[in-house]
């Protein structure tokens, strides 16, 4: 720090900056911490601080068929939709970045649209079109919707990883006589694998959390966790919701840690 | 011009899915605006004539316009600390912002509701310390809605701002100081203009996200804070009025598109992707 920059005139600003950072930190984290604590409450209402601790809301959660059923539906939904989106998105990103495709920037922009268009519009549109096809209230309908919503994240993540990789490595393999598929499998894929796995994780999280399309397309029988939470929230809040929210939070937190580990591995390999 | 290579076929699954399950349905919904219940512009006339539609659209714009500056002002110091603090501090801050960012919007909105409710944490705290006697109404009104939006949208501003700030050459500030600018003036005249692309990107992302929000206003706002996405849902689920829903969707989409186009003109999308 130079003597000029650290003169006393800056001190109040530094204090203000620190205070605002602490305020933002509290705003971002306190809700999550409070929900975690309340989920272990022994009281039948969302009281804070809780009068005592218990696991009764977790027991209730895991013994209520509606919640268990919705957890199952969520898994049946997020596994295929995240895998499909990852395969389709990786293939598309590879073609757009490495292939000589006319209008590649335009196609890329179109593939990003599901992020830009507000969720309510996508949800209403799918609901409307599904009515004629009998897809509302089916797992297939949900999987199709979630795959489309996940696609942009996969394409963006994999495309940016491909742009960083040296295309000449593939060219060298091809020159040495490797067929295109072998070049992809032995050279390209290992290089971008961390990005592909990272986008698979993102897709899983997004699918698990997605509410608006699920709200329109699901039914009482095929109802993912997010919709089950929503319908409970419209009634009375009770600590079961805090328990399921904590489960969701834990799931996201673990996936984030896995993703950070993947990214750390990737940057190590680059240097 | 070299021939198009066979790898173009790899695009087929993704573009096919996008067309059939996204572009087609959205196009169908927007077309309802002009065809339901009969061809013509009557749905847009309705939007203009019925005070409820105009009020909700105005509300939505107003809420986005209030949320955006709050988020930018709160995100700025965090991004600044991230960009110019120690590496250790930066890692902690990135983690701090990422954890809620990855947590579902529904979970965070519900958590915010617990904090803000009548006998919630904030009210108990304020009463416990004797600041107030009666619980403040913080939920199901504008306060609740703003608190929810700001909380959820902070990362959208912090990350673009951070990437703009991290690229600023520290020598520039030293040069300004050497040339005799007091710190505050150097900040306002040299530093601030250089963060502008980050500010614009973050602010636009926040503004367009807020325009389309459904979960937060439904969960934390009151009846008087109804927003466009809720109105679209209402038109379809309650009234089966696909024409008005389509017209509202078109207006919402146009507003989003215009804002993104403005951002593209001023900052450039390449910059945003960095």
């Amino acid at each position: 720090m130079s003597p000029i920059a650290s003169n006393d005139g800056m001190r109040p600003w530094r204090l203000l900056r620190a205070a605002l950072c602490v305020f933002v930190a509290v705003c971002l984290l306190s809700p999550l911490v409070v929900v975690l604590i309340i989920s272990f409450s022994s009281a039948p209402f969302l009281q804070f601080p809780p009068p005592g601790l218990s696991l009764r809301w977790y027991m209730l959660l895991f013994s209520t068929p509606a919640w268990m059923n919705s957890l199952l539906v969520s898994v049946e939904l997020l596994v295929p939709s995240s895998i499909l989106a990852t395969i389709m998105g990786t293939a598309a990103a590879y073609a757009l970045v490495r292939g000589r495709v006319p209008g590649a920037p335009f196609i890329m922009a179109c593939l990003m649209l599901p992020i830009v268009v507000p969720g309510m519009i996508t949800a209403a549109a799918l609901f409307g079109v599904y009515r004629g096809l009998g897809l509302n209230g089916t797992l297939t309908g949900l999987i199709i919707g979630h795959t489309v919503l996940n696609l942009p994240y996969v394409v963006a993540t994999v495309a940016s990883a491909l742009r960083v990789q040296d295309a000449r490595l593939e060219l060298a393999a091809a020159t040495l006589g490797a067929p295109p598929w072998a070049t992809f499998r032995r050279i390209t894929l290992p290089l971008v694998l961390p990005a592909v796995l990272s986008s698979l994780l993102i897709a899983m999280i997004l699918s698990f959390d997605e509410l608006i399309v699920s709200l329109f397309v699901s039914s009482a029988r095929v109802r993912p966790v997010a919709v089950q939470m929503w319908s409970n929230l419209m009634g009375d809040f009770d600590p079961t919701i805090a328990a399921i929210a904590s489960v969701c939070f834990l799931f996201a937190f673990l996936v984030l840690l896995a993703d950070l580990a993947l990214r750390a591995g990737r940057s190590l390999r680059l240097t | 011009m070299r021939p198009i290579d066979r790898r173009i076929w790899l695009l087929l699954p993704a573009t096919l899915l996008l067309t059939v399950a996204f572009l087609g349905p959205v196009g169908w919904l927007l077309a309802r605006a002009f065809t339901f219940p009969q061809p013509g512009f009557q749905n847009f006339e309705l939007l203009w004539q019925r005070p409820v539609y105009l009020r909700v659209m105005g509300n939505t714009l107003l809420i986005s316009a209030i949320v955006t500056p709050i988020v930018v002002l709160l995100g700025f110091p965090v991004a600044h600390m991230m960009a110019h603090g120690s590496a250790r501090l930066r890692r902690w801050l990135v983690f701090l912002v990422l954890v809620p960012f990855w947590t579902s919007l529904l979970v965070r909105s519900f958590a915010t509701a617990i904090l803000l409710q009548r006998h919630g944490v904030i009210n108990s705290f304020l009463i416990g310390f004797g600041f107030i006697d009666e619980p403040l109404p913080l939920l199901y009104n504008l306060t609740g809605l703003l608190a929810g939006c700001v909380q959820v949208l902070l990362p959208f501003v912090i990350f673009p701002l951070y990437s703009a700030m991290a690229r600023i050459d520290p020598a520039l500030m030293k040069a300004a100081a050497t040339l005799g600018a007091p710190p505050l003036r150097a900040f306002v005249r040299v530093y601030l203009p250089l963060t502008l692309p980050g500010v614009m990107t973050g602010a636009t992302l926040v503004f367009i996200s807020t325009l389309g929000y459904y979960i937060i206003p439904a969960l934390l706002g009151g009846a008087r804070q109804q927003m466009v996405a809720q109105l679209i849902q209402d038109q379809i689920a309650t009234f089966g009025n696909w024409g008005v829903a389509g017209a509202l969707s078109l207006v919402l989409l146009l507003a989003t598109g215009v804002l993104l186009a403005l951002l593209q003109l001023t900052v450039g999308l390449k910059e945003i992707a960095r």
Side-chain angles (χ1 to χ4, degrees):
Chain A
M1 187 67 36
S2 74
I4 305 170
S6 64
N7 69 17
D8 280 348
M10 293 308 283
R11 269 206 64 188
W13 294 106
R14 273 175 213 286
L15 285 176
L16 180 66
R17 182 181 74 171
L20 283 171
C21 282
V22 171
F23 177 71
V24 168
V26 170
C27 286
L28 287 177
L29 292 185
S30 61
L32 297 173
V33 173
V34 167
V35 166
L36 269 177
I37 295 174
I38 284 185
S39 72
F40 293 104
S41 168
S42 57
F45 351 87
L46 296 168
Q47 188 183 340
F48 190 89
L53 298 177
S54 79
L55 285 174
R56 61 188 276 206
W57 304 110
Y58 286 93
M59 312 264 265
L60 187 63
L61 180 69
F62 290 109
S63 61
T64 307
W67 283 113
M68 290 326 288
N69 182 45
S70 68
L71 269 172
L72 186 68
V73 169
S74 272
V75 171
E76 285 173 338
L77 170 58
L78 76 84
V79 169
S81 68
S82 60
I83 292 176
L84 278 173
T86 304
I87 294 172
M88 289 180 178
T90 303
Y94 181 67
L96 287 172
V97 176
R98 288 287 193 265
R100 288 177 298 278
V101 177
F106 175 74
I107 299 174
M108 182 68 104
C110 285
L111 284 168
M112 292 301 124
L113 278 177
I115 301 186
V116 180
V117 172
M120 182 54 69
I121 295 181
T122 312
L126 280 174
F127 175 70
V129 171
Y130 278 3
R131 279 183 316 168
L133 303 168
L135 282 171
N136 281 321
T138 67
L139 198 56
T140 317
L142 282 168
I143 291 172
I144 294 173
H146 280 205
T147 308
V148 162
L149 288 179
N150 288 338
L151 209 50
Y153 295 93
V154 179
V155 174
T157 312
V158 178
S160 74
L162 276 170
R163 285 200 191 99
V164 179
Q165 301 295 343
D166 194 340
R168 283 175 302 180
L169 289 172
E170 290 156 37
L171 215 56
T175 317
L176 292 170
W181 171 244
T183 311
F184 178 77
R185 211 179 63 81
R186 304 285 295 272
I187 308 289
T188 317
L189 195 57
L191 284 172
V192 295
L193 195 61
V196 173
L197 291 179
S198 169
S199 57
L200 180 72
L201 292 178
I202 298 175
M204 282 166 57
I205 284 281
L206 288 172
S207 176
F208 189 70
D209 292 345
E210 204 286 330
L211 175 66
I212 304 181
V213 167
S214 309
L215 203 57
F216 270 77
V217 175
S218 65
S219 65
R221 226 162 42 80
V222 183
R223 180 181 264 181
V225 169
V227 179
Q228 179 69 27
M229 272 187 83
W230 181 257
S231 64
N232 270 43
L233 281 174
M234 294 295 110
D236 277 333
F237 293 8
D238 79 47
T240 327
I241 303 187
I244 185 74
S246 302
V247 172
C248 294
F249 171 66
L250 195 69
F251 177 63
F253 189 73
L254 290 178
V255 175
L256 171 65
L257 285 183
D259 186 59
L260 287 178
L262 269 176
R263 276 165 206 266
R266 187 158 76 216
S267 59
L268 273 182
R269 208 170 313 180
L270 279 177
T271 47
Chain B
M1 183 81 185
R2 298 165 79 178
I4 298 164
D5 65 73
R6 285 184 317 180
R7 283 181 284 196
I8 195 168
W9 292 107
L10 290 173
L11 268 175
L12 196 65
T15 44
L16 199 66
L17 181 76
L18 186 81
T19 312
V20 172
F22 183 77
L23 298 177
V26 171
W28 175 87
L29 174 68
L30 298 181
R32 291 309 92 183
F34 304 96
T35 61
F36 187 96
Q38 68 258 8
F41 291 93
Q42 76 276 4
N43 289 312
F44 294 94
E45 283 163 23
L46 273 182
L47 287 197
W48 187 247
Q49 284 160 358
R50 296 253 175 94
V52 54
Y53 298 139
L54 275 184
R55 204 197 64 214
V56 171
M57 286 189 284
N59 246 343
T60 308
L61 273 179
L62 184 68
I63 287 163
S64 302
I66 301 174
V67 166
T68 307
I70 300 179
V71 177
V72 171
L73 285 178
L74 284 177
F76 196 94
V78 180
H80 193 267
M81 197 91 131
M82 237 185 226
H84 306 298
S86 66
R88 203 184 137 84
L89 189 64
R90 165 158 57 244
R91 269 200 301 276
W92 274 107
L93 283 174
V94 169
F95 196 66
L96 178 97
V97 180
L98 274 182
V99 169
F101 190 55
W102 276 66
T103 308
S104 103
L105 197 120
L106 183 56
V107 168
R108 280 183 292 162
S109 309
F110 160 67
T112 309
I114 291 190
L115 285 187
L116 298 179
Q117 61 185 325
R118 195 173 157 79
H119 298 290
V121 179
I122 292 179
N123 270 326
S124 321
F125 183 84
L126 290 176
I127 292 173
F129 280 86
F131 292 118
I132 50 173
D133 298 323
E134 285 289 301
L136 294 173
L138 301 170
L139 195 57
Y140 310 126
N141 54 25
L142 188 63
T143 316
L145 175 57
L146 292 180
C149 287
V150 169
Q151 224 248 110
V152 164
L153 289 163
L154 272 165
F156 289 84
V157 146
I158 291 176
F159 288 121
L161 262 181
Y162 163 71
S163 87
M165 287 171 176
R167 274 183 277 145
I168 295 177
D169 188 348
L172 284 173
M173 290 300 278
K174 275 194 194 124
T178 318
L179 292 171
L184 188 61
R185 187 185 306 164
F187 179 79
V188 173
R189 300 284 293 272
V190 178
Y191 192 88
L192 218 47
L194 287 169
T195 63
L196 217 54
V199 173
M200 298 280 289
T201 307
T204 311
L205 289 178
V206 168
F207 200 95
I208 61 176
S209 305
T210 313
L211 283 184
Y213 265 165
Y214 170 74
I215 299 174
I216 297 178
L219 210 54
L220 304 174
R224 282 173 54 201
Q225 284 79 39
Q226 207 188 21
M227 292 176 72
V228 168
Q230 291 169 282
L231 200 55
I232 295 174
Q233 197 258 359
D234 221 27
Q235 290 301 317
I236 293 170
T238 317
F239 304 110
N241 194 343
W242 288 89
V244 170
L248 285 167
S249 299
L250 192 64
V251 172
L252 178 55
L253 214 50
L254 278 179
T256 310
V258 167
L259 286 167
L260 276 180
L262 280 178
L263 182 66
Q264 156 80 353
L265 283 178
T266 49
V267 184
L269 285 178
K270 278 231 178 69
E271 189 75 14
I272 301 162
R274 282 172 68 157

